[in-house]
Amino acid sequence: MVFLVPVVLFLSNLLNYVDRQLFSALFPVLTSVYRLSDVQVGLLGSAFTFSYLLAAPLAGILSDRLNSRWILGMGILLFSLGMLICASSLHVQGLFAGRMLTGAGEAALLVVGPQIFGIQDRPGLRIGFFLSAMPIGGAIGFALAMRSPQVPVSQVLMIPVFPGLLLGGLLFFIPYALPFKGAGAYGIRSSAGLLLRNRNLLSLIGVQICNAFLLGGMAVWISLYLTREKHLSPPVGSMLTGVSLVVGGFLGMILLGILCDRTRTDDSRGVFQLIQAGQFLSFAGIMVVLFGKSEPVLLLGLLLSSVGLFGINVPLLVAFMRLCDAQVWGMLLGTSLLLTHLFGDLPSSYFIGLLSSHMGLSNALLLLLPLAETLGVVILWKTLRVPCSSRFME
């Protein structure tokens, strides 16, 4: 039954992003049903991220000490419960509570999942396959959002709940655990100290923050942007976004995963260069989306941005794990996720909403998205000017 763990991980991550994108794609409907302002929409997106980033270090610490399938099982059950609360909520307060619970449960997936695949052969391709659930689940989420007007939004939000409960319960019966445990000498503060003392890891986190800012902002606002500023109908906007997510995101992750496995394992420079390539692709795509007008042009921009924004996550994780010992992957991944989301996608949706209320959504995106992408490019460019060391702790 050990082979079921990667399958359950992929399917769980699939449900994770079905839920994320389904909820985001339904923002135009939820805004009307719950009478949400732009600031409340931004806060609702940030509420998910806030609980996610707080739970990530805890999930990392526990994954280095306990059976990993317990952490995964509890996390999946928790985010399924959060989805259930959102689907059955009658008030805005219920939406906020459900999203925070969902974020806390989903933190375990991106902490434990990469650890499982990182110790195997061809980790880049395996991590790419695991993370490809992001665009595929996102596309499914947008497709589900294109429901018939006669179907209540609560029924649509309920779709991922019961499969999640089933997968979470299944993990408690699979005899599997990571081969390395007991890294108890390191805590959250020690892990943060290790990060702060290494320039290469700091650069990775800086790029992660910029990429998370872009992904978080676009995930919350892209549907409203296409309908409000580009004057597309909600079904057409969801279709363009869904196609770009599944095609561009999947190709980007698999391609960059394969290329990661072809780089030298004793030097991280090649992986850093793959990250840089993803940055340029996402920057080009974002600019096309911001200035494009016709549907084919917008689709091209969304495709390019999806290849870069999603694909870049594979070399980021591969580079991170090449610079760390496996026994502290959990704590360091959890700490890096805390820093990434604290300064990345947590403030992005709120800041975009705040600026949108003053200068309009189009101007807010035109100001913040290129700025974040440029900052990430500069951070990595400065790092590549100096040779990257292979590891920082043995």
Side-chain angles (χ1 to χ4, degrees):
M1 294 182 69
V2 174
F3 75 93
L4 286 176
V5 173
V7 176
V8 172
L9 269 174
F10 174 82
L11 293 177
S12 299
N13 209 22
L14 186 71
L15 290 176
N16 171 6
Y17 283 93
V18 167
D19 165 68
R20 291 195 191 193
Q21 298 303 327
L22 174 61
F23 197 87
S24 297
L26 288 173
F27 266 135
V29 180
L30 294 172
T31 299
S32 175
V33 172
Y34 291 93
R35 303 181 184 274
L36 302 174
S37 66
D38 282 356
V39 174
Q40 285 179 312
V41 170
L43 285 173
L44 193 56
S46 295
F48 170 90
T49 308
F50 183 73
S51 61
Y52 179 94
L53 68 88
L54 289 181
L58 177 61
I61 291 173
L62 293 177
S63 70
D64 284 333
R65 292 159 173 77
L66 304 176
N67 192 316
S68 55
R69 64 185 174 90
W70 297 346
I71 310 303
L72 285 171
M74 289 300 299
I76 295 170
L77 291 176
L78 195 60
F79 83 65
S80 300
L81 178 60
M83 291 188 290
L84 177 62
I85 293 174
C86 284
S88 57
S89 174
L90 299 177
H91 305 285
V92 176
Q93 293 84 349
L95 291 180
F96 276 92
R99 294 310 289 169
M100 293 184 71
L101 199 61
T102 301
E106 291 179 2
L109 285 171
L110 284 181
V111 173
V112 181
Q115 296 181 64
I116 293 176
F117 296 110
I119 61 174
Q120 301 176 4
D121 295 331
R122 297 187 297 173
L125 179 59
R126 295 176 186 275
I127 291 175
F129 177 72
F130 168 67
L131 294 182
S132 68
M134 296 167 64
I136 296 174
I140 295 173
F142 275 107
L144 291 175
M146 298 169 61
R147 74 200 193 290
S148 170
Q150 286 73 33
V151 180
V153 66
S154 59
Q155 294 185 14
V156 181
L157 290 173
M158 188 69 72
I159 293 174
V161 172
F162 295 108
L165 294 173
L166 177 62
L167 290 172
L170 181 63
L171 277 169
F172 288 94
F173 300 96
I174 299 177
Y176 181 86
L178 289 173
F180 44 86
K181 293 293 169 188
Y186 299 94
I188 296 177
R189 294 179 60 184
S190 299
S191 301
L194 293 172
L195 291 172
L196 294 174
R197 289 196 299 267
N198 185 270
R199 178 184 55 82
N200 294 337
L201 288 175
L202 286 176
S203 297
L204 286 178
I205 292 174
V207 174
Q208 282 180 318
I209 289 172
C210 295
N211 200 58
F213 187 97
L214 293 164
L215 276 173
M218 292 187 70
V220 172
W221 289 104
I222 192 62
S223 295
L224 285 174
Y225 174 73
L226 292 176
T227 56
R228 183 187 300 179
E229 304 295 335
K230 299 300 181 179
H231 308 295
L232 302 180
S233 65
V236 172
S238 295
M239 181 189 68
L240 292 182
T241 307
V243 170
S244 64
L245 281 172
V246 70
V247 176
F250 180 82
L251 288 179
M253 289 181 170
I254 297 300
L255 176 61
L256 289 179
I258 293 173
L259 293 176
C260 281
D261 292 333
R262 294 185 178 181
T263 61
R264 290 171 48 191
T265 58
D266 60 345
D267 192 343
S268 299
R269 187 175 182 83
V271 180
F272 274 65
Q273 290 172 335
L274 291 176
I275 297 172
Q276 190 176 57
Q279 288 178 317
F280 287 126
L281 282 175
S282 61
F283 185 84
I286 288 171
M287 298 308 292
V288 171
V289 171
L290 292 176
F291 290 99
K293 295 181 179 180
S294 65
E295 292 178 13
V297 172
L298 290 172
L299 177 59
L300 174 62
L302 289 169
L303 281 170
L304 289 175
S305 60
S306 294
V307 170
L309 289 173
F310 284 97
I312 199 175
N313 287 284
V314 180
L316 277 170
L317 283 172
V318 171
F320 189 90
M321 289 190 288
R322 283 185 182 180
L323 296 171
C324 307
D325 282 343
Q327 288 187 340
V328 293
W329 277 354
M331 285 173 286
L332 292 178
L333 284 173
T335 304
S336 69
L337 283 176
L338 168 64
L339 299 174
T340 297
H341 292 290
L342 180 62
F343 299 107
D345 55 345
L346 176 62
S348 67
S349 59
Y350 174 73
F351 284 158
I352 292 173
L354 185 62
L355 285 180
S356 175
S357 65
H358 289 87
M359 63 175 60
L361 181 56
S362 182
N363 290 330
L365 293 178
L366 185 60
L367 174 64
L368 292 178
L369 297 188
L371 180 63
E373 189 70 82
T374 301
L375 180 59
V377 170
V378 171
I379 290 172
L380 199 64
W381 175 74
K382 286 184 173 292
T383 301
L384 286 172
R385 294 179 63 188
V386 181
C388 296
S389 59
S390 60
R391 299 182 69 82
F392 82 102
M393 53 180 300
E394 298 294 343

